[in-house]
Short mmCIF file of all heavy atoms in Angstrom, two decimals:
data_model
loop_
_atom_site.label_atom_id
_atom_site.label_comp_id
_atom_site.label_asym_id
_atom_site.label_seq_id
_atom_site.Cartn_x
_atom_site.Cartn_y
_atom_site.Cartn_z
N LEU A 53 22.49 9.06 -4.83
CA LEU A 53 21.56 7.97 -4.82
C LEU A 53 22.00 7.11 -3.56
O LEU A 53 21.08 6.64 -2.74
CB LEU A 53 21.55 7.02 -6.00
CG LEU A 53 20.98 7.66 -7.35
CD1 LEU A 53 21.21 6.73 -8.53
CD2 LEU A 53 19.36 7.80 -7.05
N PHE A 54 23.30 6.90 -3.29
CA PHE A 54 23.71 6.17 -2.12
C PHE A 54 23.30 6.85 -0.83
O PHE A 54 22.77 6.19 0.20
CB PHE A 54 25.27 5.95 -2.19
CG PHE A 54 25.78 5.23 -1.03
CD1 PHE A 54 25.43 3.89 -0.87
CD2 PHE A 54 26.68 5.84 -0.09
CE1 PHE A 54 25.92 3.14 0.30
CE2 PHE A 54 27.20 5.09 1.00
CZ PHE A 54 26.90 3.85 1.21
N VAL A 55 23.42 8.14 -0.76
CA VAL A 55 23.11 8.92 0.38
C VAL A 55 21.46 8.78 0.58
O VAL A 55 21.06 8.66 1.73
CB VAL A 55 23.52 10.39 0.31
CG1 VAL A 55 22.89 11.19 1.39
CG2 VAL A 55 25.02 10.50 0.32
N ALA A 56 20.79 8.92 -0.56
CA ALA A 56 19.36 8.82 -0.38
C ALA A 56 18.91 7.54 0.16
O ALA A 56 17.88 7.37 0.77
CB ALA A 56 18.74 9.08 -1.75
N SER A 57 19.57 6.39 -0.35
CA SER A 57 19.23 4.96 0.22
C SER A 57 19.62 4.92 1.75
O SER A 57 18.94 4.11 2.49
CB SER A 57 19.94 4.02 -0.64
OG SER A 57 21.42 4.04 -0.30
N LEU A 58 20.62 5.59 2.21
CA LEU A 58 21.21 5.45 3.62
C LEU A 58 20.16 6.29 4.56
O LEU A 58 19.89 5.83 5.66
CB LEU A 58 22.48 6.00 3.79
CG LEU A 58 23.68 5.13 3.27
CD1 LEU A 58 24.93 5.72 3.50
CD2 LEU A 58 23.57 3.64 3.99
N LEU A 59 19.69 7.33 4.12
CA LEU A 59 18.88 8.26 5.12
C LEU A 59 17.73 7.58 5.77
O LEU A 59 17.53 7.63 6.95
CB LEU A 59 18.48 9.55 4.43
CG LEU A 59 19.63 10.51 3.97
CD1 LEU A 59 18.97 11.73 3.28
CD2 LEU A 59 20.38 10.94 5.32
N PRO A 60 16.88 6.94 5.04
CA PRO A 60 15.66 6.24 5.73
C PRO A 60 16.14 5.13 6.49
O PRO A 60 15.31 4.67 7.35
CB PRO A 60 14.77 5.82 4.45
CG PRO A 60 15.68 5.83 3.31
CD PRO A 60 16.82 6.75 3.49
N LEU A 61 17.24 4.51 6.25
CA LEU A 61 17.67 3.41 7.18
C LEU A 61 18.34 3.92 8.43
O LEU A 61 18.35 3.10 9.43
CB LEU A 61 18.78 2.67 6.38
CG LEU A 61 18.41 1.96 4.89
CD1 LEU A 61 19.61 1.32 4.38
CD2 LEU A 61 17.30 0.89 5.23
N LEU A 62 18.81 5.10 8.36
CA LEU A 62 19.48 5.57 9.70
C LEU A 62 18.67 6.57 10.44
O LEU A 62 18.97 6.77 11.67
CB LEU A 62 20.82 6.36 9.23
CG LEU A 62 21.83 5.34 8.43
CD1 LEU A 62 23.04 6.27 7.96
CD2 LEU A 62 22.27 4.31 9.31
N ILE A 63 17.82 7.21 9.94
CA ILE A 63 16.94 8.36 10.49
C ILE A 63 15.46 7.87 10.62
O ILE A 63 14.89 7.81 9.56
CB ILE A 63 17.15 9.68 9.79
CG1 ILE A 63 18.56 9.99 9.65
CG2 ILE A 63 16.35 10.76 10.50
CD1 ILE A 63 18.86 11.26 8.82
N ALA A 64 14.95 7.78 11.75
CA ALA A 64 13.52 7.43 11.96
C ALA A 64 12.72 8.62 12.06
O ALA A 64 12.11 8.96 13.13
CB ALA A 64 13.39 6.51 13.27
N ASP A 65 12.60 9.34 11.01
CA ASP A 65 11.84 10.69 10.95
C ASP A 65 11.25 10.72 9.50
O ASP A 65 12.07 10.73 8.59
CB ASP A 65 12.76 11.79 11.32
CG ASP A 65 12.03 13.12 11.31
OD1 ASP A 65 10.91 13.24 10.68
OD2 ASP A 65 12.49 14.06 12.15
N ARG A 66 10.01 10.84 9.43
CA ARG A 66 9.27 10.78 8.17
C ARG A 66 9.67 12.06 7.38
O ARG A 66 9.66 12.04 6.14
CB ARG A 66 7.85 10.62 8.41
CG ARG A 66 7.36 9.36 8.79
CD ARG A 66 5.90 9.45 9.14
NE ARG A 66 5.03 9.97 8.04
CZ ARG A 66 4.62 9.16 7.10
NH1 ARG A 66 4.83 7.93 6.97
NH2 ARG A 66 3.94 9.89 6.08
N ARG A 67 10.08 13.16 8.10
CA ARG A 67 10.40 14.23 7.33
C ARG A 67 11.56 14.21 6.45
O ARG A 67 11.83 14.95 5.49
CB ARG A 67 10.61 15.45 8.29
CG ARG A 67 9.40 15.96 8.92
CD ARG A 67 9.61 16.94 10.00
NE ARG A 67 10.33 16.37 11.27
CZ ARG A 67 10.51 16.97 12.27
NH1 ARG A 67 10.17 18.19 12.64
NH2 ARG A 67 11.13 16.20 13.32
N VAL A 68 12.42 13.15 6.64
CA VAL A 68 13.63 12.88 5.90
C VAL A 68 13.26 12.41 4.48
O VAL A 68 14.04 12.45 3.60
CB VAL A 68 14.54 11.94 6.58
CG1 VAL A 68 14.01 10.47 6.45
CG2 VAL A 68 15.96 11.99 6.08
N LEU A 69 11.98 12.00 4.40
CA LEU A 69 11.54 11.44 3.03
C LEU A 69 11.49 12.50 1.96
O LEU A 69 11.89 12.26 0.84
CB LEU A 69 10.25 10.92 3.22
CG LEU A 69 10.07 9.48 4.10
CD1 LEU A 69 8.67 9.05 4.08
CD2 LEU A 69 10.91 8.29 3.49
N THR A 70 11.28 13.68 2.33
CA THR A 70 11.39 14.78 1.39
C THR A 70 12.76 15.05 0.78
O THR A 70 12.98 15.16 -0.28
CB THR A 70 10.91 16.19 2.05
OG1 THR A 70 9.43 15.92 2.51
CG2 THR A 70 11.01 17.29 1.04
N THR A 71 13.74 14.89 1.70
CA THR A 71 15.17 15.03 1.36
C THR A 71 15.62 13.84 0.46
O THR A 71 16.22 14.00 -0.53
CB THR A 71 16.08 15.05 2.54
OG1 THR A 71 15.66 16.17 3.25
CG2 THR A 71 17.59 15.27 2.16
#
Side-chain angles (χ1 to χ4, degrees):
L53 289 173
F54 180 63
V55 173
S57 67
L58 284 180
L59 288 179
L61 298 177
L62 301 176
I63 303 176
D65 188 334
R66 290 172 53 87
R67 288 173 294 188
V68 79
L69 294 178
T70 300
T71 304

